[in-house]
Amino acid sequence: MITLTIGEIATAVSGRYDTAGTDATELTAVSGHVETDSREIETSGIFVAKPGDVTDGHHFVGAALQNGAALAIVEHRVDVAIPQIIVDDAVDALAALAAEVVRRVKAQGTLTVIGITGSNGKTTTKNLLGAILSPDAETVTPRNSFNNTVGAPTTMLRVTESTRYLISEMGASGPGHIAHLAAIAQPDIGVELKVGMAHAGGFGGIEQTAAAKTELVAALSADGVAILNRDDPRVVAMASQTPARVVWFGEHNEADVRAADINVTAAGTQFTLTTSDGDSIPVSFKVLGEHHVWNALAALAVARELCVPLETAVRRLESVTRAERWRMEVMGGRDKITIINDAYNASPDSMAAALKTLALITPRQQRTVAVLGAMSELGEFTGDEHDRIGLMAVRLGIDQLVVVGPEARRLHISAINEGSWDGESTFMQTADEAYEYLADELRAGDTVLVKSSNSVGLRFLGDRLGELFS
Protein backbone atom coordinates (compact mmCIF):
# COMPACT_ATOMS: atom_id res chain seq x y z
CA MET A 1 0.00 0.00 0.00
CA ILE A 2 1.09 3.61 -0.41
CA THR A 3 2.34 5.30 2.73
CA LEU A 4 -0.42 7.08 4.68
CA THR A 5 -0.55 8.48 8.16
CA ILE A 6 -2.99 7.00 10.64
CA GLY A 7 -4.86 10.29 10.52
CA GLU A 8 -5.21 10.12 6.74
CA ILE A 9 -6.50 6.55 7.01
CA ALA A 10 -8.99 7.54 9.69
CA THR A 11 -10.30 10.35 7.50
CA ALA A 12 -10.57 8.06 4.47
CA VAL A 13 -12.63 5.48 6.36
CA SER A 14 -14.65 8.00 8.43
CA GLY A 15 -13.29 6.41 11.60
CA ARG A 16 -12.27 7.50 15.10
CA TYR A 17 -8.66 7.02 16.14
CA ASP A 18 -7.84 5.33 19.46
CA THR A 19 -4.23 4.95 20.56
CA ALA A 20 -5.22 1.91 22.70
CA GLY A 21 -2.44 2.78 25.12
CA THR A 22 0.33 2.92 22.51
CA ASP A 23 2.76 5.73 21.64
CA ALA A 24 1.43 6.02 18.09
CA THR A 25 -0.02 9.34 16.92
CA GLU A 26 -2.19 10.32 14.01
CA LEU A 27 1.02 11.31 12.20
CA THR A 28 2.44 7.79 12.45
CA ALA A 29 2.93 6.46 8.91
CA VAL A 30 1.72 3.02 7.80
CA SER A 31 2.50 1.34 4.47
CA GLY A 32 2.11 -2.43 4.90
CA HIS A 33 -0.39 -4.72 3.23
CA VAL A 34 -4.01 -4.65 4.34
CA GLU A 35 -5.46 -8.03 5.35
CA THR A 36 -8.67 -9.43 6.85
CA ASP A 37 -6.92 -12.67 7.85
CA SER A 38 -4.56 -12.28 10.79
CA ARG A 39 -2.48 -15.20 9.49
CA GLU A 40 -1.62 -13.20 6.36
CA ILE A 41 -0.43 -10.11 8.23
CA GLU A 42 3.17 -9.02 7.66
CA THR A 43 5.32 -6.38 9.34
CA SER A 44 3.71 -2.91 9.35
CA GLY A 45 0.46 -4.32 7.98
CA ILE A 46 -3.08 -3.18 8.63
CA PHE A 47 -5.57 -5.68 10.03
CA VAL A 48 -9.25 -5.17 9.25
CA ALA A 49 -11.31 -6.96 11.92
CA LYS A 50 -14.23 -8.09 9.82
CA PRO A 51 -17.12 -9.95 11.49
CA GLY A 52 -17.75 -13.21 9.66
CA ASP A 53 -20.37 -15.93 9.37
CA VAL A 54 -18.36 -18.36 11.48
CA THR A 55 -16.11 -16.19 13.62
CA ASP A 56 -15.31 -12.55 14.33
CA GLY A 57 -12.10 -10.85 13.25
CA HIS A 58 -12.04 -8.89 16.50
CA HIS A 59 -10.99 -12.12 18.24
CA PHE A 60 -7.78 -12.13 16.18
CA VAL A 61 -6.51 -8.58 16.66
CA GLY A 62 -3.95 -9.89 19.16
CA ALA A 63 -2.73 -12.50 16.68
CA ALA A 64 -2.44 -9.80 14.00
CA LEU A 65 -0.31 -7.71 16.38
CA GLN A 66 1.97 -10.68 17.06
CA ASN A 67 2.40 -11.14 13.30
CA GLY A 68 3.52 -7.55 12.87
CA ALA A 69 0.38 -5.47 12.37
CA ALA A 70 0.89 -1.75 12.96
CA LEU A 71 -2.78 -0.77 12.92
CA ALA A 72 -6.20 -2.38 13.32
CA ILE A 73 -9.45 -1.18 11.82
CA VAL A 74 -12.23 -2.35 14.14
CA GLU A 75 -15.94 -1.90 14.76
CA HIS A 76 -15.43 -1.57 18.51
CA ARG A 77 -12.40 -0.99 20.70
CA VAL A 78 -10.40 -4.14 21.42
CA ASP A 79 -8.32 -4.62 24.57
CA VAL A 80 -5.08 -5.07 22.66
CA ALA A 81 -2.16 -2.61 22.65
CA ILE A 82 -2.32 -1.71 18.99
CA PRO A 83 -3.43 1.60 17.41
CA GLN A 84 -7.05 1.26 16.34
CA ILE A 85 -9.42 3.09 14.02
CA ILE A 86 -13.02 2.48 15.07
CA VAL A 87 -15.58 2.43 12.23
CA ASP A 88 -19.26 1.60 11.84
CA ASP A 89 -18.65 -1.17 9.28
CA ALA A 90 -15.27 -2.81 8.64
CA VAL A 91 -16.10 -3.95 5.10
CA ASP A 92 -17.28 -0.46 4.14
CA ALA A 93 -14.06 0.92 5.65
CA LEU A 94 -12.00 -1.50 3.58
CA ALA A 95 -13.75 -0.28 0.42
CA ALA A 96 -13.33 3.37 1.36
CA LEU A 97 -9.61 2.94 2.03
CA ALA A 98 -9.13 1.12 -1.28
CA ALA A 99 -10.96 3.88 -3.15
CA GLU A 100 -8.74 6.54 -1.53
CA VAL A 101 -5.51 4.68 -2.31
CA VAL A 102 -6.47 4.03 -5.94
CA ARG A 103 -7.63 7.65 -6.33
CA ARG A 104 -4.30 9.00 -5.06
CA VAL A 105 -2.21 6.76 -7.31
CA LYS A 106 -4.38 7.44 -10.36
CA ALA A 107 -3.96 11.16 -9.72
CA GLN A 108 -0.27 10.70 -10.54
CA GLY A 109 -1.32 9.79 -14.08
CA THR A 110 0.69 6.55 -14.24
CA LEU A 111 -1.81 3.89 -13.13
CA THR A 112 -4.11 2.01 -15.52
CA VAL A 113 -6.90 -0.03 -13.96
CA ILE A 114 -8.29 -3.04 -15.85
CA GLY A 115 -11.54 -4.55 -14.57
CA ILE A 116 -12.45 -8.08 -15.62
CA THR A 117 -15.83 -9.73 -15.18
CA GLY A 118 -17.85 -12.58 -16.65
CA SER A 119 -19.61 -15.70 -15.53
CA ASN A 120 -16.54 -17.78 -16.36
CA GLY A 121 -12.88 -17.17 -17.09
CA LYS A 122 -12.10 -14.17 -14.87
CA THR A 123 -9.24 -15.79 -12.98
CA THR A 124 -7.68 -17.32 -16.08
CA THR A 125 -7.87 -14.02 -17.96
CA LYS A 126 -6.31 -11.98 -15.13
CA ASN A 127 -3.49 -14.53 -14.88
CA LEU A 128 -2.85 -14.41 -18.62
CA LEU A 129 -2.91 -10.63 -18.66
CA GLY A 130 -0.65 -10.50 -15.63
CA ALA A 131 1.86 -12.73 -17.41
CA ILE A 132 1.80 -10.38 -20.41
CA LEU A 133 2.08 -7.07 -18.52
CA SER A 134 4.23 -7.82 -15.46
CA PRO A 135 7.58 -8.20 -17.28
CA ASP A 136 7.31 -4.54 -18.37
CA ALA A 137 6.05 -2.79 -15.26
CA GLU A 138 4.80 -3.27 -11.70
CA THR A 139 1.48 -5.09 -12.03
CA VAL A 140 -0.94 -5.90 -9.21
CA THR A 141 -3.18 -8.92 -9.74
CA PRO A 142 -5.57 -10.68 -7.36
CA ARG A 143 -4.38 -13.66 -5.36
CA ASN A 144 -6.46 -16.75 -6.09
CA SER A 145 -9.99 -15.54 -6.92
CA PHE A 146 -10.07 -12.39 -4.80
CA ASN A 147 -13.00 -10.82 -6.62
CA ASN A 148 -15.74 -10.04 -4.07
CA THR A 149 -16.50 -7.07 -1.83
CA VAL A 150 -13.63 -8.06 0.47
CA GLY A 151 -11.11 -9.69 -1.84
CA ALA A 152 -11.21 -7.08 -4.61
CA PRO A 153 -10.55 -4.06 -2.34
CA THR A 154 -7.80 -6.00 -0.58
CA THR A 155 -6.11 -6.47 -3.96
CA MET A 156 -6.56 -2.80 -4.86
CA LEU A 157 -4.81 -1.84 -1.63
CA ARG A 158 -1.63 -3.51 -2.86
CA VAL A 159 -0.95 -0.73 -5.36
CA THR A 160 2.01 1.54 -4.68
CA GLU A 161 3.24 4.77 -6.23
CA SER A 162 5.21 2.70 -8.75
CA THR A 163 2.35 0.40 -9.81
CA ARG A 164 1.64 0.75 -13.52
CA TYR A 165 -1.21 -1.74 -13.91
CA LEU A 166 -3.93 -2.83 -11.50
CA ILE A 167 -5.91 -5.84 -12.70
CA SER A 168 -9.13 -6.14 -10.74
CA GLU A 169 -11.19 -9.32 -11.00
CA MET A 170 -14.81 -8.37 -10.35
CA GLY A 171 -17.22 -11.09 -9.28
CA ALA A 172 -20.79 -10.83 -8.10
CA SER A 173 -23.53 -12.94 -6.62
CA GLY A 174 -26.24 -10.33 -6.95
CA PRO A 175 -27.17 -7.00 -8.55
CA GLY A 176 -25.09 -3.97 -7.63
CA HIS A 177 -21.97 -5.86 -6.57
CA ILE A 178 -19.95 -5.07 -9.70
CA ALA A 179 -21.12 -1.45 -9.71
CA HIS A 180 -19.82 -1.19 -6.14
CA LEU A 181 -16.38 -2.58 -7.09
CA ALA A 182 -16.19 -0.41 -10.20
CA ALA A 183 -16.94 2.69 -8.13
CA ILE A 184 -13.94 1.82 -5.93
CA ALA A 185 -11.48 0.93 -8.71
CA GLN A 186 -12.56 3.45 -11.39
CA PRO A 187 -11.41 1.14 -14.24
CA ASP A 188 -9.96 2.56 -17.44
CA ILE A 189 -10.52 -0.71 -19.32
CA GLY A 190 -13.41 -3.11 -18.73
CA VAL A 191 -13.39 -6.70 -19.97
CA GLU A 192 -16.64 -8.65 -20.38
CA LEU A 193 -15.96 -12.35 -20.98
CA LYS A 194 -19.26 -14.20 -20.95
CA VAL A 195 -22.75 -14.22 -19.48
CA GLY A 196 -23.73 -17.65 -18.18
CA MET A 197 -25.58 -19.45 -15.41
CA ALA A 198 -22.89 -19.12 -12.72
CA HIS A 199 -24.49 -17.77 -9.50
CA ALA A 200 -27.85 -17.69 -11.29
CA GLY A 201 -29.60 -18.40 -8.00
CA GLY A 202 -28.43 -15.07 -6.62
CA PHE A 203 -29.36 -13.09 -9.69
CA GLY A 204 -32.70 -14.73 -10.45
CA GLY A 205 -31.92 -15.82 -14.02
CA ILE A 206 -29.58 -15.24 -16.92
CA GLU A 207 -31.10 -11.92 -18.05
CA GLN A 208 -30.61 -10.54 -14.55
CA THR A 209 -27.06 -11.89 -14.63
CA ALA A 210 -26.45 -10.02 -17.89
CA ALA A 211 -27.76 -6.80 -16.35
CA ALA A 212 -25.42 -7.20 -13.38
CA LYS A 213 -22.39 -7.90 -15.58
CA THR A 214 -23.20 -4.78 -17.62
CA GLU A 215 -22.47 -2.70 -14.52
CA LEU A 216 -18.73 -2.81 -15.30
CA VAL A 217 -18.84 -1.27 -18.79
CA ALA A 218 -21.60 1.13 -17.74
CA ALA A 219 -19.16 2.54 -15.17
CA LEU A 220 -16.46 3.33 -17.75
CA SER A 221 -15.90 6.90 -18.88
CA ALA A 222 -15.99 8.12 -22.47
CA ASP A 223 -12.17 7.91 -22.42
CA GLY A 224 -12.29 4.24 -21.41
CA VAL A 225 -12.23 1.04 -23.43
CA ALA A 226 -14.76 -1.79 -23.25
CA ILE A 227 -13.30 -5.14 -24.36
CA LEU A 228 -16.34 -7.23 -25.35
CA ASN A 229 -16.89 -10.82 -26.48
CA ARG A 230 -18.33 -10.65 -30.02
CA ASP A 231 -19.43 -14.30 -29.82
CA ASP A 232 -21.78 -13.85 -26.85
CA PRO A 233 -25.05 -12.08 -27.81
CA ARG A 234 -25.64 -10.88 -24.26
CA VAL A 235 -22.19 -9.30 -24.17
CA VAL A 236 -22.75 -7.79 -27.61
CA ALA A 237 -25.84 -6.04 -26.22
CA MET A 238 -23.62 -4.29 -23.66
CA ALA A 239 -22.08 -2.12 -26.39
CA SER A 240 -25.09 0.18 -26.26
CA GLN A 241 -24.81 0.50 -22.48
CA THR A 242 -21.31 1.94 -22.27
CA PRO A 243 -19.96 5.39 -23.12
CA ALA A 244 -16.53 3.83 -23.71
CA ARG A 245 -14.93 2.88 -27.01
CA VAL A 246 -15.70 -0.77 -27.84
CA VAL A 247 -13.10 -3.34 -28.90
CA TRP A 248 -14.35 -6.80 -29.87
CA PHE A 249 -12.68 -10.17 -29.39
CA GLY A 250 -13.81 -13.66 -30.40
CA GLU A 251 -14.10 -15.95 -33.39
CA HIS A 252 -16.61 -13.71 -35.17
CA ASN A 253 -15.43 -12.09 -38.41
CA GLU A 254 -16.15 -8.65 -36.94
CA ALA A 255 -13.88 -9.17 -33.93
CA ASP A 256 -10.92 -6.78 -33.69
CA VAL A 257 -8.86 -9.55 -32.06
CA ARG A 258 -9.88 -12.87 -33.56
CA ALA A 259 -8.99 -16.57 -33.38
CA ALA A 260 -9.27 -18.79 -36.44
CA ASP A 261 -8.17 -22.33 -37.33
CA ILE A 262 -8.56 -23.51 -33.74
CA ASN A 263 -7.12 -26.96 -33.04
CA VAL A 264 -7.47 -28.51 -29.58
CA THR A 265 -5.20 -31.32 -28.38
CA ALA A 266 -4.06 -32.77 -25.08
CA ALA A 267 -0.98 -30.55 -25.36
CA GLY A 268 -2.98 -27.35 -25.59
CA THR A 269 -4.69 -25.28 -28.25
CA GLN A 270 -3.33 -23.88 -31.47
CA PHE A 271 -4.97 -21.03 -33.36
CA THR A 272 -4.21 -18.20 -35.73
CA LEU A 273 -4.49 -14.76 -34.16
CA THR A 274 -5.65 -12.01 -36.51
CA THR A 275 -6.39 -8.36 -35.76
CA SER A 276 -8.30 -5.58 -37.44
CA ASP A 277 -4.89 -3.99 -38.15
CA GLY A 278 -4.11 -6.86 -40.52
CA ASP A 279 -1.75 -8.78 -38.23
CA SER A 280 -1.75 -12.59 -38.35
CA ILE A 281 0.27 -14.66 -35.88
CA PRO A 282 0.18 -18.41 -35.07
CA VAL A 283 -0.39 -19.09 -31.38
CA SER A 284 0.45 -22.27 -29.48
CA PHE A 285 -1.49 -21.89 -26.25
CA LYS A 286 -0.62 -24.47 -23.59
CA VAL A 287 -3.66 -23.96 -21.32
CA LEU A 288 -6.00 -26.89 -21.93
CA GLY A 289 -9.47 -26.37 -23.39
CA GLU A 290 -10.97 -24.52 -26.34
CA HIS A 291 -13.05 -22.38 -23.98
CA HIS A 292 -9.85 -20.71 -22.77
CA VAL A 293 -9.25 -19.25 -26.25
CA TRP A 294 -11.74 -16.48 -25.42
CA ASN A 295 -9.76 -15.70 -22.27
CA ALA A 296 -6.53 -15.56 -24.27
CA LEU A 297 -8.09 -13.26 -26.84
CA ALA A 298 -9.41 -10.93 -24.13
CA ALA A 299 -5.96 -10.68 -22.55
CA LEU A 300 -4.36 -10.04 -25.94
CA ALA A 301 -6.96 -7.37 -26.72
CA VAL A 302 -6.11 -5.52 -23.51
CA ALA A 303 -2.38 -5.84 -24.20
CA ARG A 304 -2.95 -4.40 -27.69
CA GLU A 305 -4.73 -1.38 -26.19
CA LEU A 306 -1.80 -0.89 -23.82
CA CYS A 307 0.63 -0.89 -26.77
CA VAL A 308 2.38 -4.16 -25.91
CA PRO A 309 3.84 -5.43 -29.22
CA LEU A 310 1.64 -8.28 -30.44
CA GLU A 311 4.55 -10.67 -30.94
CA THR A 312 5.72 -9.99 -27.38
CA ALA A 313 2.24 -10.50 -25.96
CA VAL A 314 1.83 -13.80 -27.81
CA ARG A 315 5.23 -15.07 -26.68
CA ARG A 316 4.38 -14.33 -23.05
CA LEU A 317 0.95 -15.89 -23.43
CA GLU A 318 2.53 -19.05 -24.77
CA SER A 319 4.74 -19.29 -21.68
CA VAL A 320 1.70 -19.86 -19.43
CA THR A 321 1.26 -23.59 -18.84
CA ARG A 322 -1.89 -23.66 -16.70
CA ALA A 323 -4.82 -21.37 -16.07
CA GLU A 324 -4.57 -21.57 -12.27
CA ARG A 325 -4.19 -24.17 -9.56
CA TRP A 326 -7.12 -26.64 -9.89
CA ARG A 327 -8.24 -25.16 -13.22
CA MET A 328 -7.74 -27.59 -16.10
CA GLU A 329 -4.56 -28.65 -14.31
CA VAL A 330 -2.99 -31.68 -15.99
CA MET A 331 -1.62 -34.27 -13.57
CA GLY A 332 -0.74 -37.96 -13.47
CA GLY A 333 1.20 -39.61 -16.28
CA ARG A 334 1.87 -43.13 -15.00
CA ASP A 335 0.57 -45.78 -17.39
CA LYS A 336 -0.45 -42.86 -19.61
CA ILE A 337 -3.30 -42.04 -17.21
CA THR A 338 -4.03 -38.31 -17.42
CA ILE A 339 -5.85 -36.52 -14.58
CA ILE A 340 -7.38 -33.14 -15.43
CA ASN A 341 -8.14 -31.40 -12.14
CA ASP A 342 -10.68 -28.65 -12.86
CA ALA A 343 -12.53 -28.68 -9.56
CA TYR A 344 -11.91 -25.20 -8.20
CA ASN A 345 -15.22 -23.95 -9.54
CA ALA A 346 -18.08 -25.18 -11.68
CA SER A 347 -21.00 -23.58 -13.45
CA PRO A 348 -23.19 -25.15 -16.15
CA ASP A 349 -21.13 -23.45 -18.85
CA SER A 350 -17.73 -24.38 -17.46
CA MET A 351 -18.91 -27.94 -16.75
CA ALA A 352 -20.10 -28.30 -20.33
CA ALA A 353 -16.87 -26.83 -21.70
CA ALA A 354 -14.74 -29.20 -19.60
CA LEU A 355 -16.74 -32.25 -20.74
CA LYS A 356 -16.40 -31.20 -24.37
CA THR A 357 -12.67 -30.79 -23.90
CA LEU A 358 -12.42 -34.25 -22.33
CA ALA A 359 -14.21 -35.79 -25.30
CA LEU A 360 -12.21 -33.78 -27.82
CA ILE A 361 -8.67 -34.42 -26.58
CA THR A 362 -8.97 -38.15 -25.80
CA PRO A 363 -7.87 -40.47 -28.62
CA ARG A 364 -10.69 -42.64 -29.93
CA GLN A 365 -9.18 -45.88 -28.67
CA GLN A 366 -8.75 -44.58 -25.10
CA ARG A 367 -11.33 -44.19 -22.36
CA THR A 368 -12.86 -40.97 -21.03
CA VAL A 369 -13.78 -40.78 -17.33
CA ALA A 370 -15.68 -37.84 -15.84
CA VAL A 371 -15.71 -37.48 -12.05
CA LEU A 372 -18.36 -34.86 -11.35
CA GLY A 373 -19.72 -33.18 -8.24
CA ALA A 374 -22.43 -30.61 -7.67
CA MET A 375 -22.64 -27.12 -9.15
CA SER A 376 -23.55 -24.67 -6.40
CA GLU A 377 -25.38 -21.33 -6.25
CA LEU A 378 -27.89 -22.17 -8.99
CA GLY A 379 -30.99 -21.70 -6.85
CA GLU A 380 -34.20 -22.77 -8.58
CA PHE A 381 -32.20 -23.80 -11.67
CA THR A 382 -30.19 -26.45 -9.80
CA GLY A 383 -32.20 -29.50 -10.86
CA ASP A 384 -32.56 -28.61 -14.53
CA GLU A 385 -28.90 -27.70 -14.92
CA HIS A 386 -27.69 -30.94 -13.32
CA ASP A 387 -30.07 -32.82 -15.62
CA ARG A 388 -28.57 -31.06 -18.60
CA ILE A 389 -25.01 -31.99 -17.66
CA GLY A 390 -26.01 -35.64 -17.13
CA LEU A 391 -27.57 -35.75 -20.59
CA MET A 392 -24.53 -34.05 -22.12
CA ALA A 393 -22.14 -36.61 -20.62
CA VAL A 394 -24.11 -39.36 -22.32
CA ARG A 395 -24.43 -37.59 -25.65
CA LEU A 396 -20.72 -36.78 -25.73
CA GLY A 397 -19.99 -40.47 -25.34
CA ILE A 398 -18.14 -40.20 -22.03
CA ASP A 399 -17.18 -43.79 -21.27
CA GLN A 400 -17.40 -43.70 -17.47
CA LEU A 401 -19.23 -41.21 -15.28
CA VAL A 402 -18.55 -41.09 -11.54
CA VAL A 403 -20.92 -38.77 -9.69
CA VAL A 404 -19.89 -37.77 -6.17
CA GLY A 405 -22.06 -36.42 -3.36
CA PRO A 406 -25.81 -36.36 -2.67
CA GLU A 407 -26.19 -32.84 -4.11
CA ALA A 408 -25.14 -34.19 -7.52
CA ARG A 409 -27.23 -37.38 -7.47
CA ARG A 410 -29.73 -35.95 -9.95
CA LEU A 411 -26.94 -35.72 -12.51
CA HIS A 412 -26.35 -39.46 -12.09
CA ILE A 413 -30.07 -40.28 -12.41
CA SER A 414 -30.39 -38.15 -15.55
CA ALA A 415 -27.44 -39.93 -17.16
CA ILE A 416 -28.98 -43.33 -16.42
CA ASN A 417 -32.39 -42.25 -17.73
CA GLU A 418 -30.91 -40.90 -20.94
CA GLY A 419 -30.47 -44.34 -22.42
CA SER A 420 -28.76 -47.61 -22.87
CA TRP A 421 -26.05 -47.36 -20.25
CA ASP A 422 -25.20 -50.40 -18.19
CA GLY A 423 -23.04 -49.36 -15.28
CA GLU A 424 -21.33 -46.51 -17.10
CA SER A 425 -22.61 -44.08 -14.46
CA THR A 426 -21.65 -44.75 -10.85
CA PHE A 427 -22.73 -42.82 -7.78
CA MET A 428 -20.53 -42.33 -4.73
CA GLN A 429 -21.58 -40.66 -1.49
CA THR A 430 -18.15 -39.26 -0.65
CA ALA A 431 -14.86 -38.31 -2.26
CA ASP A 432 -13.10 -41.02 -0.24
CA GLU A 433 -15.41 -43.66 -1.73
CA ALA A 434 -14.76 -42.27 -5.18
CA TYR A 435 -11.00 -42.40 -4.62
CA GLU A 436 -11.08 -46.05 -3.57
CA TYR A 437 -13.25 -46.90 -6.56
CA LEU A 438 -11.12 -45.02 -9.09
CA ALA A 439 -7.84 -46.35 -7.68
CA ASP A 440 -8.98 -49.83 -8.77
CA GLU A 441 -11.10 -48.84 -11.78
CA LEU A 442 -8.74 -46.63 -13.79
CA ARG A 443 -6.64 -48.34 -16.41
CA ALA A 444 -3.77 -47.49 -18.72
CA GLY A 445 -4.53 -44.71 -21.20
CA ASP A 446 -7.55 -43.26 -19.37
CA THR A 447 -8.15 -39.52 -19.45
CA VAL A 448 -9.94 -38.40 -16.28
CA LEU A 449 -11.72 -35.11 -15.67
CA VAL A 450 -12.44 -34.08 -12.05
CA LYS A 451 -14.94 -31.22 -11.93
CA SER A 452 -17.17 -29.64 -9.26
CA SER A 453 -17.86 -26.41 -7.49
CA ASN A 454 -15.26 -25.32 -4.95
CA SER A 455 -17.54 -26.02 -1.99
CA VAL A 456 -17.74 -29.72 -2.90
CA GLY A 457 -14.00 -30.16 -2.47
CA LEU A 458 -13.30 -32.55 -5.36
CA ARG A 459 -10.13 -30.59 -6.15
CA PHE A 460 -8.51 -32.55 -3.31
CA LEU A 461 -9.72 -35.79 -4.86
CA GLY A 462 -8.09 -34.65 -8.10
CA ASP A 463 -4.84 -34.00 -6.23
CA ARG A 464 -4.94 -37.47 -4.67
CA LEU A 465 -5.54 -39.12 -8.03
CA GLY A 466 -2.82 -37.05 -9.64
CA GLU A 467 -0.36 -38.13 -6.98
CA LEU A 468 -1.45 -41.78 -7.18
CA PHE A 469 -0.85 -41.96 -10.90
CA SER A 470 2.20 -39.69 -11.08
Side-chain angles (χ1 to χ4, degrees):
M1 192 184 79
I2 63 174
T3 300
L4 295 173
T5 67
I6 291 178
E8 288 173 321
I9 296 171
T11 299
V13 302
S14 301
R16 177 174 59 85
Y17 176 51
D18 189 320
T19 63
T22 69
D23 296 331
T25 72
E26 290 191 5
L27 296 178
T28 301
V30 182
S31 60
H33 292 321
V34 180
E35 302 288 354
T36 60
D37 186 334
S38 63
R39 296 168 297 184
E40 300 292 333
I41 286 288
E42 299 175 1
T43 301
S44 299
I46 300 173
F47 177 61
V48 179
K50 178 182 71 70
D53 296 332
V54 177
T55 188
D56 187 339
H58 293 81
H59 299 321
F60 300 95
V61 173
L65 175 63
Q66 290 180 350
N67 288 337
L71 176 68
I73 296 176
V74 297
E75 293 183 0
H76 56 79
R77 191 182 190 280
V78 179
D79 190 18
V80 175
I82 183 174
Q84 299 169 32
I85 295 175
I86 302 170
V87 298
D88 292 334
D89 186 292
V91 175
D92 288 346
L94 182 70
L97 183 58
E100 177 66 10
V101 168
V102 172
R103 183 192 67 77
R104 289 188 180 219
V105 179
K106 287 196 77 172
Q108 298 177 173
T110 55
L111 176 66
T112 298
V113 180
I114 304 110
I116 301 174
T117 194
S119 298
N120 306 106
K122 296 183 293 296
T123 299
T124 299
T125 303
K126 63 94 174 173
N127 284 341
L128 298 176
L129 185 57
I132 293 171
L133 298 179
S134 58
D136 294 330
E138 182 177 305
T139 302
V140 172
T141 62
R143 291 175 292 168
N144 303 317
S145 290
F146 274 29
N147 61 26
N148 61 14
T149 54
V150 173
T154 301
T155 297
M156 297 173 201
L157 283 163
R158 289 183 171 257
V159 301
T160 68
E161 290 87 348
S162 59
T163 301
R164 180 69 181 85
Y165 303 111
L166 166 61
I167 302 173
S168 182
E169 184 180 335
M170 297 184 177
S173 55
H177 293 179
I178 292 173
H180 171 69
L181 296 178
I184 301 169
Q186 295 294 304
D188 303 287
I189 298 174
V191 181
E192 298 277 1
L193 297 169
K194 179 181 176 58
V195 177
M197 290 295 292
H199 310 294
F203 291 108
I206 197 164
E207 296 306 328
Q208 291 83 354
T209 301
K213 299 298 181 185
T214 303
E215 292 168 5
L216 172 58
V217 294
L220 298 172
S221 71
D223 296 329
V225 182
I227 309 288
L228 304 183
N229 184 346
R230 186 61 181 83
D231 298 330
D232 187 328
R234 291 185 176 87
V235 175
V236 171
M238 296 179 189
S240 64
Q241 304 298 311
T242 180
R245 175 169 56 88
V246 172
V247 173
W248 301 105
F249 70 90
E251 298 175 49
H252 196 283
N253 288 334
E254 295 179 2
D256 299 293
V257 178
R258 183 166 67 94
D261 307 319
I262 298 174
N263 179 43
V264 181
T265 69
T269 305
Q270 293 76 44
F271 61 90
T272 300
L273 172 68
T274 61
T275 73
S276 55
D277 299 324
D279 298 306
S280 180
I281 303 176
V283 180
S284 181
F285 185 42
K286 297 182 181 65
V287 177
L288 193 63
E290 183 176 0
H291 52 296
H292 285 306
V293 171
W294 278 354
N295 305 328
L297 292 174
L300 291 167
V302 174
R304 179 170 171 259
E305 289 299 313
L306 297 174
C307 300
V308 179
L310 205 57
E311 295 83 358
T312 300
V314 168
R315 184 177 69 253
R316 292 172 181 172
L317 182 85
E318 291 178 329
S319 71
V320 179
T321 58
R322 70 179 185 185
E324 175 79 29
R325 181 83 166 97
W326 299 311
R327 285 178 168 87
M328 298 303 282
E329 185 175 8
V330 179
M331 310 170 75
R334 176 167 62 85
D335 297 330
K336 296 184 178 179
I337 295 174
T338 300
I339 310 295
I340 303 170
N341 194 352
D342 192 34
Y344 187 83
N345 260 326
S347 68
D349 291 322
S350 67
M351 186 78 83
L355 284 172
K356 289 175 184 176
T357 298
L358 174 64
L360 191 61
I361 68 171
T362 306
R364 189 179 300 273
Q365 69 275 16
Q366 294 178 353
R367 196 170 63 144
T368 53
V369 181
V371 184
L372 306 181
M375 301 175 287
S376 60
E377 298 186 54
L378 293 176
E380 63 182 289
F381 308 100
T382 297
D384 289 343
E385 292 302 324
H386 282 85
D387 286 345
R388 187 169 70 87
I389 295 302
L391 301 181
M392 176 175 285
V394 176
R395 292 169 184 173
L396 285 171
I398 303 302
D399 296 301
Q400 180 68 53
L401 182 63
V402 179
V403 179
V404 184
E407 296 85 358
R409 188 179 183 91
R410 186 160 169 173
L411 194 159
H412 167 65
I413 299 300
S414 296
I416 292 174
N417 291 341
E418 172 63 5
S420 56
W421 276 21
D422 182 18
E424 287 90 344
S425 184
T426 302
F427 175 75
M428 300 288 170
Q429 286 283 350
T430 68
D432 287 340
E433 290 179 13
Y435 176 80
E436 296 298 330
Y437 173 78
L438 290 162
D440 292 332
E441 170 68 18
L442 295 182
R443 56 180 184 250
D446 284 352
T447 302
V448 184
L449 168 70
V450 183
K451 181 75 172 169
S452 75
S453 282
N454 192 21
S455 58
V456 180
L458 291 197
R459 62 193 185 281
F460 304 118
L461 171 61
D463 284 346
R464 293 176 68 189
L465 292 171
E467 182 177 354
L468 179 64
F469 292 105
S470 63

